[in-house]
Amino acid sequence: MQICKVFLTHFRKILLGSLLLCLIAQTCWVAFVHHQRQLKLDSYFLERSRVATSKYDFVRKRESNQKLKLSSNTYSDWLLDEPRETTLSRENATLLMLVRNWELPEALRSMRSLEDRFNKDFHYDWTFLNDVPFDENFIEATTAMASGKTQYALIPAEDWDRSSWINETLFEETLKMMEEKNVLYGSSKSYRNMCRFNSGFFFRQKILDQYDYYFRVEPDVTYFCDFPYDPFKVMRLNNKKYGFVITMYEYEDTIPTLWEAVEEYLEETESQDVDMETNGFEFISNFDFFGKSFGVVDSNSDYNLCHFWTNFEIGDLNFFRSEKYIKFFEYLDSKGGFYYERWGDAPVHSIAVSLLLKKDEVIHFDELGYKHMPFGTCPSAHYLRLQERCLCDSNHPDNIDLNVISCLRRWWKDGSGKYFLKHN
Ligand code: GDP
Ligand code: MN
């Protein structure tokens, strides 16, 4: 009996001892594994910072398992399922900026805003275009600001300069006359090159051949809210070919004979290019509410002067590359109005989109806050502004959607209507 008792006491001690040893061993093992992981992480960050500091080698890898963050479900029914359910995959698209070297500070401000509000989660490429070579300073700073790859291209002179058949005397007379009339950019030659380039040549630049979609970005713009979706994905999944945020009336002084040229084009063109049953012709030709002359709206033609503000635009490059768009552009170009008047790329794109696309192929991005001097747009829904952490006030007078010069109400009535996102 005595022996049994002694044995039992020792056995208990041995058992307790072994358990204690196991516990210590396990703790050591966990600490060891943690330490190893830490070492790996340290070398990962070291590697990353080395990548980040090597001068032009900024192509950062996207984190594969990042998900689009949504802080509340308030508007979740609006959002497309795919971006929430799947990891962040990219569309075949690029952010695109035509810009001058001296606009670097403004370009960086726009980039910072778009990166913070959208691109930091996606790392889309940035493409920069210029009619003169970009300088080292510009390349270095914009590459540092981008979360995706950056690339720079020089526009060939034949895509930028005015054609040789433009009558120089007539051109100079126009510049003088428009200056006297105080037309915005009326006496600028380079502004005219820019408008013609953006109307007929940006999509033909070789560097864009690889992409299906572009998102135009200008220097000194602000995006007021977090993007609740990838607009490129929204476009592809909903079969949209053109997207805008602001639409308003154009100054007629810059386009006195543009509509005449459009009417001639319509008479001469084949009907398969323009389908009046499905296109957005009403949006640009209806005069309900105000008639043809109402202060800011003062049209001498059947064009109501509504246009999409192209400093923000997201488009399908394949539409612009299409034979029907190029035919439309070349017809207008042959009239010389880019130089003899001051036709902007905004009315040209807008009329093309409204004639050549189905109105349902155009999307108004209602959820994106945006500002380009002197106007902005801010989502009107209170909870959406909270969810997207907007820095704007939809009741502010700068919000163009509330202004009489906005064409948004016309878009709701004669364009593709006011829809929440979950529609086809
Ligand atoms: P606004 O928005 O109509 O007042 O005109 P901007 O001055 O903003 O010009 C529109 C866009 O074209 C901006 O992205 C400018 O950086 C760009 N831009 C205008 N003129 C030139 C030019 O002569 N060369 C280059 N490279 N870009 C230009
Ligand atoms: Mn601008």
Side-chain angles (χ1 to χ4, degrees):
M1 270 311 265
Q2 201 64 8
I3 297 170
C4 273
K5 254 187 189 167
V6 171
F7 176 75
L8 266 178
T9 321
H10 281 291
F11 181 70
R12 240 185 257 143
K13 276 183 188 160
I14 290 167
L15 203 66
L16 274 172
S18 321
L19 276 174
L20 210 65
L21 270 175
C22 281
L23 217 65
I24 291 168
Q26 197 187 359
T27 312
C28 287
W29 176 248
V30 169
F32 175 73
V33 169
H34 181 73
H35 180 66
Q36 288 298 58
R37 202 174 294 159
Q38 201 57 44
L39 279 180
K40 256 193 201 160
L41 269 180
D42 284 352
S43 67
Y44 169 75
F45 283 120
L46 198 72
E47 183 57 29
R48 266 180 79 102
S49 66
R50 211 175 302 131
V51 170
T53 44
S54 78
K55 218 173 171 193
Y56 294 119
D57 186 11
F58 268 95
V59 189
R60 291 193 210 148
K61 295 271 184 315
R62 197 161 42 85
E63 246 76 322
S64 57
N65 270 328
Q66 259 180 324
K67 296 213 172 161
L68 195 61
K69 276 181 244 127
L70 289 172
S71 53
S72 98
N73 286 330
T74 320
Y75 284 90
S76 57
D77 286 343
W78 291 17
L79 302 170
L80 296 171
D81 289 337
E82 209 192 34
R84 276 190 297 143
E85 302 307 328
T86 59
T87 54
L88 293 181
S89 56
R90 262 178 298 187
E91 298 299 314
N92 186 17
T94 184
L95 309 171
L96 177 66
M97 198 190 295
L98 170 74
V99 60
R100 292 159 284 198
N101 282 306
W102 54 265
E103 293 177 295
L104 176 61
E106 293 82 6
L108 291 176
R109 275 205 289 280
S110 300
M111 288 182 76
R112 171 76 202 237
S113 179
L114 192 56
E115 283 290 345
D116 288 356
R117 294 307 198 165
F118 165 59
N119 200 42
K120 68 177 190 321
D121 296 326
F122 293 88
H123 313 298
Y124 278 103
D125 302 347
W126 284 90
T127 305
F128 296 90
L129 303 176
N130 196 349
D131 57 309
V132 299
F134 282 108
D135 61 39
E136 283 295 306
N137 241 358
F138 188 96
I139 293 173
E140 185 179 53
T142 47
T143 300
M145 188 58 81
S147 69
K149 187 175 100 178
T150 50
Q151 49 184 359
Y152 304 82
L154 177 65
I155 299 162
E158 64 268 25
D159 289 356
W160 184 264
D161 295 335
R162 59 184 175 277
S163 314
S164 53
W165 56 263
I166 292 290
N167 179 323
E168 289 298 309
T169 325
L170 199 56
F171 179 44
E172 293 294 337
E173 275 170 19
T174 298
L175 297 176
K176 231 200 259 150
M177 194 189 71
M178 287 215 168
E179 185 168 21
E180 277 162 20
K181 267 186 110 179
N182 274 329
V183 176
L184 192 65
Y185 300 113
S187 61
S188 171
K189 293 181 179 176
S190 66
Y191 195 84
R192 285 175 168 77
N193 289 344
M194 180 275 288
C195 288
R196 180 169 171 267
F197 172 80
N198 273 331
S199 299
F201 297 93
F202 79 93
F203 53 88
R204 304 194 226 199
Q205 301 306 295
K206 270 209 163 47
I207 202 163
L208 294 180
D209 282 355
Q210 54 186 309
Y211 300 108
D212 290 323
Y213 298 97
Y214 72 98
F215 181 155
R216 175 162 158 191
V217 179
E218 279 205 2
D220 215 10
V221 299
T222 308
Y223 303 87
F224 287 138
C225 313
D226 289 347
F227 282 41
Y229 43 65
D230 175 353
F232 295 124
K233 185 155 284 165
V234 169
M235 303 258 301
R236 184 176 58 77
L237 293 178
N238 292 279
N239 196 26
K240 303 290 181 189
K241 306 213 158 98
Y242 191 84
F244 71 95
V245 290
I246 286 176
T247 169
M248 69 173 107
Y249 298 102
E250 178 61 298
Y251 303 110
E252 197 179 38
D253 283 349
T254 63
I255 49 165
T257 67
L258 174 61
W259 192 251
E260 222 173 278
V262 170
E263 284 177 328
E264 280 175 33
Y265 156 85
L266 284 173
E267 271 163 33
E268 285 180 27
T269 200
E270 295 129 52
S271 53
Q272 78 248 23
D273 285 356
V274 179
D275 181 354
M276 290 294 189
E277 295 292 307
T278 57
N279 71 9
F281 187 71
E282 270 300 291
F283 170 63
I284 53 170
S285 60
N286 188 297
F287 283 91
D288 287 0
F289 313 137
F290 302 147
K292 284 199 175 186
S293 186
F294 174 82
V296 285
V297 189
D298 209 350
S299 176
N300 291 303
S301 73
D302 288 337
Y303 175 35
N304 66 16
L305 303 175
C306 283
H307 68 293
F308 307 121
W309 223 20
T310 47
N311 49 63
F312 177 115
E313 67 181 357
I314 303 180
D316 185 336
L317 287 160
N318 301 308
F319 164 62
F320 287 98
R321 291 171 188 137
S322 69
E323 211 175 296
K324 63 181 176 184
Y325 181 82
I326 292 187
K327 249 168 66 187
F328 174 77
F329 166 75
E330 277 169 4
Y331 191 88
L332 296 187
D333 194 32
S334 72
K335 301 285 173 189
F338 287 103
Y339 294 102
Y340 302 141
E341 296 181 3
R342 208 223 66 197
W343 295 355
D345 54 283
V348 171
H349 282 195
S350 306
I351 294 171
V353 159
S354 303
L355 293 179
L356 306 175
L357 289 179
K358 296 187 177 78
K359 62 185 177 190
D360 291 340
E361 289 174 325
V362 183
I363 180 170
H364 168 232
F365 288 114
D366 213 351
E367 302 79 11
L368 306 184
Y370 175 71
K371 170 116 190 185
H372 173 298
M373 282 296 284
F375 297 113
T377 176
C378 184
S380 51
H382 177 70
Y383 287 106
L384 187 63
R385 287 201 302 276
L386 290 180
Q387 180 174 314
E388 295 181 10
R389 308 187 309 148
C390 295
L391 286 173
C392 59
D393 174 2
S394 64
N395 293 324
H396 195 278
D398 283 357
N399 182 7
I400 193 172
D401 304 336
L402 304 177
N403 193 308
V404 70
I405 69 163
S406 167
C407 287
L408 191 56
R409 280 151 293 187
R410 288 196 184 282
W411 180 255
W412 293 337
K413 174 174 163 291
D414 296 322
S416 64
K418 182 170 171 68
Y419 284 101
F420 296 134
L421 258 183
K422 198 129 186 173
H423 78 286
N424 282 306

